[in-house]
Amino acid sequence: MTPQARRDDLIAAALDLFGSRAPELVTVDDIVARAEVSRPLFYRYFPSLRELQVEALRTVTDGLVDGLAHLEQGPPEDRLRTAVRGLIDVADHYRAGYVALLRSGSVIATSETDAAIDEVRNRSVELILDALGLAEPSPLVLLTLRCWTAVVEGALLSWLQDRNVPREILDGWLVDQLTAMLTTTAAHDPARARR
């Protein structure tokens, strides 16, 4: 196995474990057992557990950004629904890692993971602006879109913990939330409402 393939294998083992428990509860022994390697081999590729946690969580955010980058063409609502469905899929697949990324005060939060989360948020806003054909959004439109990304994050965190809303309803509800927020924004931003 190449060094990069071995690193990827260790990251995949960590992410697999993050699917069932919070990253801060996963130990080096858990990871080496899942990857079927020795502790010395683990430390050959990662000088610390923390470095592996950050790399693994970066994989989650890269997955979110990649999912947003490959959208089908079509009406804005269909494109947004597809994007939200992709976010739900990635968040669900890496449930514990996603929760750890967004949970305030997580013991594994770093400036690097915060920057990765901001990258996902910024990409989400860019996607919506592109879908709506808005090259020069007003400050109020930008504020609306940034607030909506917070709604999505909060909804996903709640849904991942409770699952009391069927998955097939969640993405449509979130897109409808954006539509309602933009309608309200248009009422307060008449110059943009015409566009």
Side-chain angles (χ1 to χ4, degrees), residues 60-91:
V60 175
T61 57
D62 287 348
L64 292 168
V65 170
D66 289 347
L68 292 171
H70 300 95
L71 290 180
E72 60 192 41
Q73 294 299 313
E77 185 175 331
D78 292 346
R79 294 177 73 200
L80 292 172
R81 193 178 305 274
T82 300
V84 171
R85 197 173 293 128
L87 290 173
I88 294 169
D89 289 345
V90 173

Side-chain angles (χ1 to χ4, degrees), residues 129-130 133-142 189 191-192 195:
L129 290 172
D130 181 57
L134 288 176
E136 296 178 18
S138 71
L140 200 53
V141 168
L142 282 175
D189 196 357
R192 294 294 173 185
R195 298 184 65 192

